Amino acid sequence: MDQNGFFGNWGGAYIPEILHQTFVELKEEYTRCRKDPAFWQEYLTLMSTYSCRPTPLTYAENLTHHFGGAKIYIKREDLNHTGAHKANNVMGQGLLVKRMGKKRVIAETGAGQHGMATATMAAKFGLDCTIYMGEEDVLRQRPNVFWMEKMGATVVTVKDGSRTLKDAINEAFRDWVTNVDNTHYVFGTACGPAPFPEMVAWFQSIIGIEAAKQIIQYHGKMPARVYACVGGGSNAMGIFKRFLDESDVELIGVEAGGHGADSHAHAIRLSSPDATPGVAQGYKTMFLQDEDGQMKHTHSVAAGLDYVGVSPILSDLWDKKLVRFESATDTEVMQALDLTMKQEGIIPALESSHAFAGAFKEVGKLAKDDAIIINQSGRGDKDIFTIAHAFDDPSWKKFIIDRGKEYSNS
Ligand SMILES: *Cc1c(COP(=O)(O)O)cnc(C)c1O
């Protein structure tokens, strides 16, 4: 990152004047923390006692035999507290908030996972917490809303625009501008104005640091390829960062192909020609937008991947051809999920299943003495409604209908 927050052509900090001082303070505190080994140690201790770090690297023996190519290893971010890599980011920012002495946090959430993670952090650190969520998403993700409220967070339903993630982000910024003195905005991914992209990627870099050690221990050398799904880009940057200097390791980001690259119903920013450079939500990156800069409607079976922008760090790595970007369609993702459950007894989140689908297309062609790592960003339990619906499971349907009847009769 240069001093203006840019990664090559991408990033920056396009913020209203009123937030200027807060960004100066945030950048100073973050810079101090990065230079202070005691801060990272405190972070590691917190993550090993409150979450599940270090997370295991699992050798997927059955999948490896199934494809007959390189050995498949899975980095198990699903075993974190609240079931995804998001804990790494929110707990790190929580420690930062404590240092800054702020008493209130706000966050945006799409699928609800980042809201959940932020609500746990706020409860643990005794902070006031308000979560902004689009009305569409509140309706689709009731279980997450339920838990956030139970942990003491206020969930605000956003009724503007398309009533999804980008509208929730806009609303959270509005709150921040009003309450900047006592409030920190816990941004959920490696996007937004500097220093958020770099800061979030730093907290997430623990994934790759652990994975590199583990693969050397189990496999004796670096992997040939590392795969991660790309929504905003935080889990991808988290596992990629450590491997960027390893010239023999190829890094592959898998985006949400939705109904297909030609369908316009997808969230492919970097591996399709549909996205164009733009500035929105405080930073410059590749956005899915029309000629007037209006954000397009995106689609993915995975709620956590259907964001219109992408990390400016990834746009830069894409520019420099240091990361290869591919996409997987909803159908390919469901097949990859199905196979992983049957072969390994592991249930990846629909988001993570994109990384599996991307890897499965290629792994059979790689040499048997090579290895690949798939970053399993989260667990799929949260997706039971979507997965059961997609598999068209008749007894699940009956269960839902019966529960509905029970409620309407009571
Ligand atoms: C939120 C989420 C993602 C997408 O976010 P990134 O910032 O791209 O990592 C991916 N996987 C899971 C399980 C998530 O919850």
Side-chain angles (χ1 to χ4, degrees):
M1 180 171 79
D2 70 17
Q3 59 181 9
N4 297 318
F6 278 87
F7 304 86
N9 250 321
W10 311 96
Y14 301 82
I15 48 169
E17 184 55 34
I18 193 165
L19 288 178
H20 182 76
Q21 188 53 33
T22 270
F23 269 84
V24 170
E25 285 163 24
L26 178 63
K27 222 154 119 185
E28 280 173 6
E29 192 63 56
Y30 159 64
T31 308
R32 261 197 298 278
C33 290
R34 267 201 88 139
K35 287 187 188 142
D36 180 2
F39 178 84
W40 191 253
Q41 196 49 53
E42 188 184 358
Y43 173 66
L44 292 183
T45 303
L46 175 66
M47 293 311 288
S48 64
T49 53
Y50 190 62
S51 194
C52 187
R53 305 224 73 93
T55 59
L57 184 73
T58 302
Y59 174 44
E61 193 173 3
N62 301 329
L63 282 171
T64 299
H65 290 153
H66 178 86
F67 288 104
K71 292 190 177 65
I72 300 173
Y73 286 87
I74 303 172
K75 181 61 172 162
R76 301 293 305 281
E77 290 305 297
D78 57 310
L79 296 175
N80 274 294
H81 183 45
T82 66
H85 68 294
K86 293 202 161 69
N88 305 329
N89 174 36
V90 299
M91 298 317 287
Q93 290 197 48
L95 291 178
L96 212 72
V97 171
K98 278 207 330 193
R99 288 204 175 196
M100 291 189 293
K102 294 197 170 177
K103 301 282 181 251
R104 177 173 180 263
V105 289
I106 58 173
E108 85 294 347
T109 195
Q113 295 303 110
H114 176 57
M116 274 281 285
T118 304
T120 60
M121 180 273 278
K124 181 167 170 59
F125 290 156
L127 304 168
D128 266 359
C129 179
T130 300
I131 304 294
Y132 288 92
M133 195 166 177
E135 190 175 30
E136 263 313 282
D137 293 323
V138 169
L139 291 172
R140 287 190 290 200
Q141 307 290 337
R142 177 47 56 184
N144 285 330
V145 177
F146 174 81
W147 289 126
M148 283 185 255
E149 291 178 341
K150 284 288 165 272
M151 284 184 283
T154 304
V155 179
V156 176
T157 304
V158 179
K159 296 179 176 163
D160 290 350
S162 60
R163 294 165 293 138
T164 56
L165 179 63
K166 63 176 163 37
D167 313 293
I169 294 179
N170 292 336
E171 203 55 39
F173 269 112
R174 252 170 249 148
D175 178 320
W176 204 15
V177 166
T178 317
N179 300 296
V180 65
D181 290 340
N182 69 343
T183 300
H184 174 71
Y185 181 0
V186 184
F187 209 79
T189 187
C191 293
F196 280 112
E198 192 188 73
M199 188 171 84
V200 174
W202 181 51
F203 289 129
Q204 295 292 358
S205 70
I206 184 70
I207 304 173
I209 293 170
E210 288 176 8
K213 267 192 212 141
Q214 290 165 321
I215 196 79
I216 293 293
Q217 189 185 342
Y218 303 153
H219 175 64
K221 59 175 180 178
M222 282 289 159
R225 294 182 187 172
V226 177
Y227 294 85
C229 66
V230 182
S234 72
N235 87 90
M237 274 317 300
I239 194 155
F240 289 169
K241 206 164 182 288
R242 167 63 182 81
F243 296 102
L244 275 170
D245 294 334
E246 305 285 342
S247 53
D248 292 341
V249 182
E250 193 186 8
L251 306 173
I252 299 102
V254 186
E255 300 184 275
H259 296 319
D262 302 330
S263 68
H264 298 292
H266 61 68
I268 313 176
R269 288 74 35 101
L270 297 175
S271 54
S272 91
D274 283 7
T276 48
V279 174
Q281 298 184 330
Y283 69 113
K284 181 181 177 191
T285 197
M286 293 291 282
F287 284 103
L288 288 164
Q289 56 190 343
D290 63 21
E291 291 84 40
D292 302 328
Q294 290 292 323
M295 294 301 149
K296 284 188 188 162
H297 195 71
T298 54
H299 165 79
S300 170
V301 68
L305 297 188
D306 67 358
Y307 178 51
V308 288
V310 66
S311 176
I313 311 178
L314 287 174
S315 287
D316 183 43
L317 294 172
W318 164 75
D319 243 358
K320 296 178 174 147
K321 299 194 165 48
L322 293 172
V323 175
R324 169 160 65 89
F325 288 87
E326 304 287 348
S327 65
T329 64
D330 290 354
T331 309
E332 290 167 338
V333 163
M334 293 308 297
Q335 285 164 354
L337 170 62
D338 197 29
L339 186 69
T340 305
M341 291 194 288
K342 298 242 160 62
Q343 296 276 332
E344 299 292 341
I346 288 174
I347 312 173
L350 282 169
E351 290 84 3
S352 323
S353 298
H354 285 71
F356 285 76
F360 291 172
K361 288 186 209 178
E362 305 179 349
V363 67
K365 292 172 228 150
L366 297 179
K368 276 184 180 356
D369 59 355
D370 273 334
I372 64 162
I373 300 177
I374 301 171
N375 196 28
Q376 185 180 344
S377 51
R379 65 173 186 231
D381 311 43
K382 69 178 175 64
D383 298 320
I384 188 163
F385 291 91
T386 313
I387 295 171
H389 182 74
F391 285 136
D392 203 14
D393 186 284
S395 38
W396 174 262
K397 212 183 262 175
K398 183 171 178 317
F399 164 74
I400 295 288
I401 292 168
D402 289 349
R403 288 306 293 260
K405 279 188 200 146
E406 233 173 86
Y407 274 100
S408 48
N409 291 338
S410 66

